[in-house]
Amino acid sequence: MAQRPDDEQDPLLVQTGQYTRAPKVSHEVLTKQEREELLKERAVKQQAAQRLNQPCAGGPVGRWWRKLQSGPDKVTLAMSIVALGVVYGDIGTSPLYTMQTFLAGQGGVTHADETAVIGMLSLVFWTMTLITTIEYVVICMRVDNKGEGGIFALYTLLRRYGGWLIVPAMIGGAAFLADSVLTPAMSISSAVEGLQTLPALQGVFASNPNLMLIITLVIIVAVFAVQSRGTERIGKVFGTAVLIWFLFIAITGAMSMAHNLEVLRALNPVHGVQFLLSGDNHAGLALMGTVFLSITGAEALYSDMGHVGRGNIYATWPFINLALVLSYFGQGAWIIRTLEDPAYVQEGGSPNPFFAMLSPELRYVAVVLSVIAGVIASQALISGAFTIVSEATRLNWMPHLQVRYPARTRGQLYIPTVNVVVCVATVAVLLIFRNSEHIAAAYGLALTVTMVMTSILVTVYLWHKRMRAASVVFAVVFPTIMLLFFVASMAKFMHGGWFTALLTIAILTVMVTWNEGTKLERAQRRHMQLNDCLPVLQRLHEDATIPYYSDNIVYLTSDQDMKRMETDVFFSIFANHPKRARAWWVVSVETTDDPFTREYTVEDYGTDYLFRVRIRLGFKVSQSIPAYLHQIMHDLLRAGDLPQQTTRYPKVDADPKIGPIKYVLIHKALMPESKVSAKGAWALRIKYAIRHVAGSPVKWFGLAPYNPVTEVQPLFLSTVRPPRLKRMM
């Protein structure tokens, strides 16, 4: 039957086409917003190049500054403010409880003396200097993977040096994700509990014991609800508040320290070591667990590096470090002055030095700011969890979840599934432990594990970069210190640390089983040569006795091989009842590091019925695969590579030039008779259970829920041959 010309359409199709619309693809390569953004980026690069080519003003310092502003360590005021809101929330709330925990461990003000205070301050100062400043800011942040930081980015750079490196990487990543659940619960609950110190509200909370828990739950749910807007927008809102917070603790700390400059003796590390080993230390080794509270946000600096840029952290950390030191030293000066105060000595309690050193007027301001800072503190770990999960997905340690990029830079990402899971887990932590005092028993243990594993990987990195002497020194100093913190944190195991351990093991199980299951599946992936599959495909294509399953059958796959056919696709076409089509399409999608890439390559193998398509999309481009496939089909129609598929009857997409399209996704399943080890069988079963919960990648491909077909095929592992049956007469 002759085909209808393109300019003549069936009136019935035109009439019904007003009710349905085909997925349209613009003729423009970029949208208006994308063109404007690229023009801005191009203008910034041109300005940077012009500054570098200008005659040097300011001498060597001027040349260094212009080079810095044109490189990866670029510093901007806007992103520096974002860094304050995104990165430093966790470590910024540590002055609220570190020194109070120290007093409680010593048995209150009665059992503390000036030697103990100076020793504690010395341990805090040098821990922050060695771990946060030197290990993380100076060393770890120089080890990045295309601007991204964190333990998984570090592992990606090192995995070629040995398979055993996967062990510390997985353990550290699982522990970091566990801490991402505990940190929002700890920081927000401890901040909200500060409301009880306000005289005007003490009666309200006394008559409503559960009010504190309810307020904390509402705030936590609200924090997770705004994550979809992107951490850049959140950072702009939070950045100013955090700046005010650090200015406040720096000024109040300096004012308190001015009354007793003897605390400056804590700058000598000998005082810290002597106190730790002396009999005056009533907490013993557990004191190091208290000291660790002062650096709980150090890992967030590294993991959130991709969100705000390394240069902006370099620019803001000196101010943050100074503010923290002034606050700790100010609290120490107040404690020393209080040792002679009969009121505190007779009570024998453990007051919170942060609030107690302030005047009554400032105390109201401090409570309000601490509540705001506590809310912000959870942001660093939540955004870090998104980064960790995204990197774990690239390593095939977690299921392929939908990732959104709501902000202007790739580092700003949002994973809806992770946001929901972490939110539910955080709420569960609150319902189990109910207040910060009980959460504190589990808090910090997971992060010590992450820091130990990070220290191991950094040591390996330095060794393979031929910095042998530096790696030996690093291995002696930093992993040893972190192991000391870990042993001290284990003292809290029976009081809540068990929950952290269970959560870490659960996350580790997901990563290990997904990794092992993926290895088994890939080991069984098979390809067919074109000479073996094309003849039978051509026979099916021309066999008029079999009705069309669909005009176009599209197989979505992760396989990147363009020269051969995956056996899963071949068996899907011929399994049970053959799936005859006018054209079969095998499509894979690759996400590029460029934001606005829209490219595709197609291979037809010399046929007009089998097409292999690879679509390359930028990380900020919507993955509307149906719309792009319609464009590709029309391109092939115009080129004469695809026969006309004029449709005589209405269909949902109302595109009369393209026949109906059916999308097929193939999942694997383990058959009972498969020949596989018990370990492999368990890995596959758990992986498939996780996949069932996480869902199919329909949203990732931008498919409508009514169109795709999900098929389950056996995983072609070697099968066990049963004994032969005996025939009975």
Side-chain angles (χ1 to χ4, degrees):
M1 184 177 67
Q3 299 288 345
R4 183 181 301 273
D6 291 347
D7 57 350
E8 297 181 13
Q9 293 187 6
D10 193 321
L12 294 177
L13 292 179
V14 175
Q15 180 180 355
T16 57
Q18 61 183 320
Y19 299 104
T20 59
R21 293 290 181 266
K24 298 298 190 298
V25 177
S26 171
H27 293 288
E28 302 290 340
V29 177
L30 299 173
T31 65
K32 180 181 178 180
Q33 293 78 8
E34 292 171 356
R35 287 196 300 271
E36 291 176 352
E37 186 167 337
L38 287 178
L39 287 174
K40 290 180 181 178
E41 292 180 0
R42 189 177 304 169
V44 170
K45 291 180 180 179
Q46 290 176 352
Q47 292 175 1
Q50 291 175 359
R51 286 195 300 266
L52 287 175
N53 293 329
Q54 289 175 354
C56 294
V61 176
R63 288 194 299 269
W64 169 80
W65 177 252
R66 284 197 294 273
K67 183 178 180 181
L68 177 66
Q69 291 299 92
S70 304
D73 296 334
K74 181 179 179 180
V75 180
T76 65
L77 178 61
M79 288 308 296
S80 294
I81 295 177
V82 172
L84 291 175
V86 174
V87 176
Y88 298 116
D90 188 14
I91 199 170
T93 56
S94 59
L96 291 173
Y97 44 77
T98 300
M99 296 304 291
Q100 182 185 27
T101 305
F102 157 70
L103 284 180
Q106 297 301 311
V109 177
T110 306
H111 301 283
D113 55 22
E114 183 174 343
T115 302
V117 174
I118 298 298
M120 175 64 182
L121 292 177
S122 181
L123 290 172
V124 168
F125 174 80
W126 285 104
T127 298
M128 291 177 57
T129 301
L130 291 174
I131 302 301
T132 309
T133 302
I134 297 179
E135 180 180 6
Y136 276 92
V137 176
V138 176
I139 299 177
C140 291
M141 288 181 59
R142 303 304 303 179
V143 185
D144 67 285
N145 184 18
K146 297 180 180 179
E148 294 288 347
I151 191 167
F152 286 164
L154 183 57
Y155 167 75
T156 302
L157 297 175
L158 296 175
R159 55 182 172 179
R160 65 181 181 273
Y161 296 130
W164 68 273
L165 294 172
I166 194 174
V167 176
M170 278 191 173
I171 295 175
F176 184 88
L177 288 175
D179 195 72
S180 301
V181 172
L182 292 168
T183 295
M186 175 65 181
S187 60
I188 294 179
S189 62
S190 61
V192 172
E193 288 166 7
L195 295 173
Q196 296 179 105
T197 62
L198 296 177
L201 299 178
Q202 288 178 350
V204 177
F205 288 109
S207 59
N208 299 276
N210 294 324
L211 181 59
M212 192 67 63
L213 179 62
I214 295 173
I215 295 175
T216 304
L217 289 173
V218 170
I219 293 176
I220 282 180
V221 173
V223 169
F224 282 99
V226 301
Q227 293 299 313
S228 60
R229 301 185 62 187
T231 54
E232 183 179 17
R233 297 178 183 178
I234 295 173
K236 287 181 178 179
V237 176
F238 287 171
T240 304
V242 173
L243 176 61
I244 295 173
W245 167 253
F246 278 107
L247 286 172
F248 179 82
I249 66 174
I251 294 172
T252 55
M255 292 171 59
S256 177
M257 187 180 69
H259 296 288
N260 189 349
L261 296 178
E262 285 293 315
V263 294
L264 293 177
R265 293 191 293 120
L267 297 177
N268 185 348
V270 174
H271 294 292
V273 176
Q274 288 179 344
F275 172 65
L276 178 64
L277 302 177
S278 70
D280 295 332
N281 176 18
H282 301 288
L285 185 60
L287 177 69
M288 296 303 295
T290 302
V291 175
F292 182 78
L293 294 177
S294 64
I295 60 168
T296 50
E299 185 72 24
L301 271 70
Y302 188 32
S303 62
D304 285 337
M305 181 173 63
H307 293 240
V308 298
R310 182 171 56 203
N312 295 297
I313 297 179
Y314 283 161
T316 53
W317 171 246
F319 162 68
I320 300 299
N321 188 38
L322 177 62
L324 292 172
V325 171
L326 289 175
S327 180
Y328 286 124
F329 279 41
Q331 294 179 51
W334 177 86
I335 296 174
I336 293 175
R337 295 197 305 271
T338 307
L339 295 176
E340 300 177 358
D341 190 334
Y344 288 103
V345 174
Q346 291 173 2
E347 292 178 3
S350 302
N352 190 328
F354 179 81
F355 294 106
M357 71 178 181
L358 303 176
S359 63
E361 296 78 13
L362 285 177
R363 198 171 300 170
Y364 280 88
V365 178
V367 170
V368 174
L369 290 177
S370 66
V371 171
I372 298 174
V375 173
I376 298 173
S378 61
Q379 180 60 51
L381 272 297
I382 295 173
S383 57
F386 294 152
T387 303
I388 286 289
V389 171
S390 176
E391 292 174 348
T393 301
R394 297 174 200 163
L395 294 169
N396 290 307
W397 293 353
M398 283 191 175
H400 200 111
L401 303 173
Q402 184 183 20
V403 179
R404 299 177 186 174
Y405 298 91
R408 294 177 300 178
T409 56
R410 177 160 191 152
Q412 307 284 330
L413 54 86
Y414 167 70
I415 306 178
T417 302
V418 174
N419 193 57
V420 172
V421 171
V422 176
C423 179
V424 172
T426 303
V427 170
V429 169
L430 276 172
L431 295 178
I432 293 173
F433 294 99
R434 302 190 68 83
N435 57 55
S436 62
E437 181 180 354
H438 295 101
I439 298 174
Y443 184 61
L445 177 60
L447 199 54
T448 59
V449 175
T450 304
M451 289 184 171
V452 170
M453 300 303 146
T454 300
S455 299
I456 293 174
L457 293 179
V458 170
T459 301
V460 176
Y461 174 84
L462 295 175
W463 180 267
H464 286 282
K465 287 297 180 179
R466 300 189 182 280
M467 293 182 281
R468 303 297 171 82
S471 65
V472 172
V473 174
F474 187 94
V476 170
V477 176
F478 297 107
T480 302
I481 295 175
M482 294 315 306
L483 284 173
L484 186 63
F485 283 130
F486 174 74
V487 173
S489 300
M490 285 298 293
K492 301 184 294 183
F493 184 83
M494 298 306 299
H495 300 283
W498 58 268
F499 182 85
T500 303
L502 288 178
L503 192 58
T504 302
I505 291 172
I507 299 172
L508 185 61
T509 301
V510 171
M511 291 194 291
V512 171
T513 54
W514 194 271
N515 180 57
E516 292 297 322
T518 301
K519 285 182 179 179
L520 287 172
E521 287 181 338
R522 289 185 173 180
Q524 300 304 311
R525 177 177 284 173
R526 298 291 184 268
H527 293 88
M528 300 180 65
Q529 297 297 332
L530 296 177
N531 295 336
D532 298 328
C533 63
L534 285 181
V536 66
L537 284 173
Q538 182 177 3
R539 180 186 300 177
L540 176 60
H541 180 259
E542 298 172 353
D543 191 349
T545 63
I546 298 178
Y548 283 120
Y549 180 79
S550 181
D551 283 9
N552 298 278
I553 303 178
V554 178
Y555 286 92
L556 301 170
T557 177
S558 61
D559 183 32
Q560 298 295 326
D561 195 323
M562 296 283 289
K563 300 300 182 182
R564 299 176 298 173
M565 171 172 277
E566 193 176 357
T567 55
D568 291 341
V569 175
F570 184 83
F571 286 126
S572 173
I573 295 174
F574 290 97
N576 299 324
H577 191 279
K579 297 181 180 67
R580 187 182 175 214
R582 294 187 182 184
W584 294 281
W585 307 78
V586 183
V587 180
S588 60
V589 180
E590 177 185 353
T591 303
T592 69
D593 290 332
D594 296 323
F596 304 123
T597 302
R598 288 186 180 88
E599 302 173 348
Y600 77 91
T601 55
V602 61
E603 176 65 54
D604 60 11
Y605 307 113
T607 72
D608 60 359
Y609 54 82
L610 178 62
F611 299 92
R612 180 67 171 88
V613 180
R614 179 189 293 167
I615 301 175
R616 301 180 75 248
L617 300 177
F619 65 83
K620 292 183 64 176
V621 173
S622 175
Q623 291 184 311
S624 302
I625 302 306
Y628 291 125
L629 273 178
H630 273 265
Q631 176 208 327
I632 294 171
M633 292 176 179
H634 279 278
D635 289 348
L636 295 177
L637 280 171
R638 286 191 293 269
D641 298 324
L642 179 68
Q644 292 287 330
Q645 297 184 353
T646 304
T647 303
R648 298 180 57 190
Y649 298 100
K651 57 194 185 74
V652 174
D653 58 27
D655 188 346
K657 296 183 180 181
I658 300 296
I661 302 174
K662 180 63 69 176
Y663 295 92
V664 180
L665 291 90
I666 299 175
H667 285 174
K668 309 296 287 185
L670 186 65
M671 297 295 103
E673 65 274 11
S674 297
K675 187 177 181 181
V676 61
S677 65
K679 176 185 175 183
W682 273 107
L684 289 168
R685 291 191 184 100
I686 296 176
K687 176 180 178 177
Y688 297 150
I690 296 170
R691 184 182 63 192
H692 178 74
V693 174
S696 66
V698 170
K699 290 184 178 180
W700 169 257
F701 289 109
L703 304 182
Y706 64 84
N707 207 332
V709 173
T710 301
E711 293 185 354
V712 179
Q713 291 190 9
L715 186 61
F716 289 109
L717 294 164
S718 302
T719 56
V720 178
R721 180 179 299 179
R724 182 179 178 83
L725 292 173
K726 179 179 180 181
R727 180 178 179 180
M728 304 298 294
M729 299 300 295

